[in-house]
């Protein structure tokens, strides 16, 4: 049932059969899956998609599995919310939120990528899986490995939020905290997969793993009634997701499900304390200068982003731009989204909101643009980032309540 042609190097174009491979053997460039699009176009029609259940597997012809998926049946199909109240606050008319804070099973967009990678690990009959993670990927890899019956080795930087550590251990995964930042963790994982017959989802399973992010693009287009948005704001860590959402839109055009006359401007969002891709975009360069992360947005704290070069190239090519924001702006973004739309996002979502606000103020995103903000994770995972006042304690008496509340005229 697979429509996969093989793997292709994004740098030099060299082609490979489907196999476990972290990068191009010729130039070390990243690999991605290539498909028989003409064949897919014959079978994947709008009516077919409309008849299928909501999940990432709805678009299975465009995903790199050879067999039916064994896990991840509840993943994807997250809401696209029309955000009128937030839109009014930001001063734009057509604002939407792609809400992966309620993705399944672990409340972040990473469930999309691990669902693909761990099904692939089952197909390759690997003995164990693992990942280098800033948190959300750890949760998701551990949960999906448990569902697949595979042992999991999860390597994380030692300063991760407690909720993300526990939300990984609970699935029975072996969690190893490394004394170093994400980039050090990632290097160690590359050495591990060289030695052991395991699949690390974002290392040697990466070409398959990354394909899962395309489903955000497919879903947004279908949820907008088969239209691509004018603008999409995407938080960036390694920089893969923004290129994959773009690939998703392009593939839909290629198989005739989207009009080619509807290009989407891509807008990248990073925290000021870890902004190597935004820095490159603003310098008009593709060359990434690695940074040492220092931000509360730990899920975006990748100082040397693997796909940074491609993101820095694609963003200006699409007519988009990038911005960064400070830690206080991130917290303000989280609160604004929660208070206007009832959506509680983690720090990466706060980055997305704060950056969108700047891009609108700069006039880069226009009032009438159909704009999608990508909310990638759930706020319950990063409570440490917030410092809200302790609720006032009163005696259980109506008079005490009224003394605090101050009467009905104060309800607004
Ligand atoms: Zn190559």
């Amino acid at each position: 049932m697979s429509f996969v042609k093989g793997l292709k190097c994004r740098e030099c174009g060299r082609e490979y059969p489907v196999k476990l491979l972290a990068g191009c053997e010729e130039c070390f460039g990243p690999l991605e899956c290539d498909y028989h699009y003409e064949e897919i176009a014959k079978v994947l029609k709008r009516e077919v998609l409309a008849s299928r259940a909501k999940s990432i597997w709805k678009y299975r012809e465009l995903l790199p599995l050879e067999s039916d998926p064994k896990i991840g049946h509840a993943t994807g199909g997250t809401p696209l919310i029309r955000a009128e109240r937030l839109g009014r606050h930001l001063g734009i008319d057509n604002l939407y939120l792609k809400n992966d804070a309620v993705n399944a099973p672990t409340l972040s967009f990473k469930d999309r990528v691990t669902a693909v990678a761990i099904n692939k690990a089952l197909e390759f009959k690997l003995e164990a899986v693992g990942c280098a993670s800033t948190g959300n990927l750890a949760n998701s890899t551990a949960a999906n490995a448990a569902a697949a019956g595979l042992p999991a080795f999860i390597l994380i930087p030692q300063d991760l939020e407690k909720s993300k550590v526990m939300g990984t251990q609970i699935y029975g995964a072996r969690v190893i905290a490394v004394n170093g930042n994400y980039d050090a963790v990632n290097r160690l994982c590359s050495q591990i997969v060289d030695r052991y017959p395991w699949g690390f989802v974002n290392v040697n399973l990466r070409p398959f793993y990354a394909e899962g992010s395309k489903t955000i693009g497919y879903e947004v287009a279908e949820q907008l009634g088969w239209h691509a948005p004018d603008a999409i704001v995407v938080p960036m860590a390694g920089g893969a997701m923004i290129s994959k959402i773009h690939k998703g839109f392009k593939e839909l055009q290629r198989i005739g499900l989207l009009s080619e006359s509807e290009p989407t401007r891509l807008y990248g969002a990073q925290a000021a304390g870890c902004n190597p891709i935004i820095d490159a975009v603003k310098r008009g360069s593709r060359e990434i200068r690695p940074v040492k992360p220092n931000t509360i947005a730990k899920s975006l704290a990748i100082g040397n982003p693997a796909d940074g070069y491609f993101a820095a190239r694609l963003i200006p090519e699409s007519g988009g731009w990038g911005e960064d924001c400070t830690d206080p702006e991130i917290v303000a973004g989280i609160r604004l989204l929660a208070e206007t739309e009832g959506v509680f996002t983690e720090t990466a979502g706060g980055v997305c909101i704060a950056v969108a606000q700047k891009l609108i103020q700069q006039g880069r995103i226009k009032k009438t643009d159909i704009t999608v903000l990508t909310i990638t994770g759930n706020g319950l995972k990063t409570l440490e980032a917030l410092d809200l006042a302790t609720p006032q304690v009163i005696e259980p008496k109506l008079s005490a309540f009224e003394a605090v509340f101050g009467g009905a005229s104060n309800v607004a």
Side-chain angles (χ1 to χ4, degrees):
M1 69 170 264
S2 173
F3 291 86
V4 177
K5 213 184 213 174
L7 301 176
K8 196 171 178 181
C9 175
R10 288 173 73 187
E11 301 266 11
C12 74
R14 183 170 164 188
E15 295 180 7
Y16 297 86
V18 170
K19 61 176 176 173
L20 262 191
L21 205 55
C24 178
E25 289 167 347
E26 194 83 23
C27 73
F28 305 108
L31 300 172
E32 70 175 349
C33 296
D34 194 14
Y35 298 81
H36 293 286
Y37 290 106
E38 316 70 38
E39 299 304 311
I40 296 173
K42 287 181 199 158
V43 294
L44 206 56
K45 305 286 182 194
R46 288 180 183 178
E47 319 76 77
V48 173
L49 285 163
S51 72
R52 290 183 180 171
K54 268 198 231 173
S55 92
I56 58 168
W57 307 115
K58 185 174 189 178
Y59 312 97
R60 58 182 175 255
E61 286 85 351
L62 291 160
L63 293 171
L65 293 194
E66 304 291 326
S67 48
D68 287 336
K70 306 284 186 299
I71 55 134
H73 295 287
T75 302
T78 58
L80 185 75
I81 301 168
R82 180 79 203 248
E84 284 184 16
R85 281 169 46 79
L86 178 61
R88 263 202 302 281
H89 190 94
L90 299 179
I92 59 171
D93 297 337
N94 298 305
L95 182 63
Y96 295 84
L97 307 170
K98 181 58 175 164
N99 187 14
D100 266 19
V102 295
N103 203 4
T106 66
L107 309 177
S108 89
F109 93 97
K110 291 291 187 186
D111 291 330
R112 299 175 185 272
V113 284
T114 66
V116 175
I118 290 177
N119 275 301
K120 207 65 204 167
L122 290 171
E123 287 185 358
F124 284 128
K125 301 194 184 334
L126 301 175
E127 288 174 13
V129 293
C131 66
S133 174
T134 55
N136 283 321
L137 183 59
N139 297 168
S140 189
T141 301
N144 276 331
L150 287 172
F153 296 92
I154 311 289
L155 282 79
I156 55 171
Q158 46 83 28
D159 68 340
L160 219 55
E161 296 98 338
K162 201 174 167 193
S163 46
K164 283 189 175 162
V165 178
M166 289 174 66
T168 306
Q169 290 170 314
I170 194 67
Y171 300 108
R174 273 192 247 180
V175 179
I176 299 126
V178 177
N179 191 11
N181 61 23
Y182 174 82
D183 301 289
V185 176
N186 197 37
R187 276 194 298 278
L188 175 58
C189 288
S190 297
Q191 294 172 330
I192 293 172
V193 298
D194 276 346
R195 174 152 316 179
Y196 297 95
W198 301 342
F200 270 46
V201 300
N202 54 343
V203 185
N204 53 348
L205 284 166
R206 191 175 183 87
F208 312 101
Y209 153 97
E211 292 290 283
S213 292
K214 296 188 307 186
T215 57
I216 293 181
Y218 305 151
E219 289 179 11
V220 164
E222 189 173 358
Q223 287 167 317
L224 288 173
W226 294 113
H227 290 288
D230 298 311
I232 188 163
V233 185
V234 183
M236 300 188 297
M241 182 176 159
I242 197 164
S243 344
K244 289 297 172 177
I245 292 176
H246 171 79
K247 185 180 178 190
F249 291 141
K250 286 282 166 205
E251 286 178 330
L252 294 182
Q253 290 176 354
R254 197 160 168 186
I255 62 171
L257 292 179
L258 264 188
S259 158
E260 289 189 25
S261 62
E262 293 184 26
T264 300
R265 303 194 308 277
L266 305 168
Y267 293 93
Q270 291 198 297
C274 183
N275 63 353
I277 306 176
I278 298 302
D279 170 62
V281 168
K282 288 187 174 175
R283 282 187 287 112
S285 168
R286 295 164 188 182
E287 172 227 347
I288 300 293
R289 295 176 184 156
V291 301
K292 212 168 172 192
N294 180 19
T295 168
I296 56 167
K298 295 187 194 299
S299 60
L300 302 181
I302 298 183
N304 191 9
D307 288 274
Y309 168 90
F310 295 98
R313 186 176 77 185
L314 197 54
I315 288 169
E317 271 177 13
S318 75
W321 189 243
E323 263 303 342
D324 53 23
C325 59
T326 65
D327 286 356
E329 288 170 338
I330 295 170
V331 172
I334 293 173
R335 296 187 69 157
L336 177 63
L337 178 65
E339 290 171 10
T340 53
E341 296 295 338
V343 171
F344 184 20
T345 184
E346 66 153 294
T347 45
V351 169
C352 190
I353 302 297
V355 162
Q357 194 159 15
K358 290 188 182 185
L359 294 166
I360 292 163
Q361 281 164 2
Q362 293 168 5
R364 294 182 189 275
I365 293 178
K366 295 179 186 57
K367 192 170 163 54
T368 54
D369 279 342
I370 294 173
T371 302
V372 174
L373 309 185
T374 322
I375 304 303
T376 48
N378 194 293
L380 293 171
K381 297 193 192 199
T382 59
L383 291 175
E384 292 93 333
L386 301 173
D387 185 18
L388 305 185
T390 309
Q392 194 169 353
V393 180
I394 61 166
E395 293 306 315
K397 290 177 189 157
L398 189 57
S399 60
F401 171 73
E402 285 177 337
V404 171
F405 165 55
S409 59
N410 282 353
V411 78

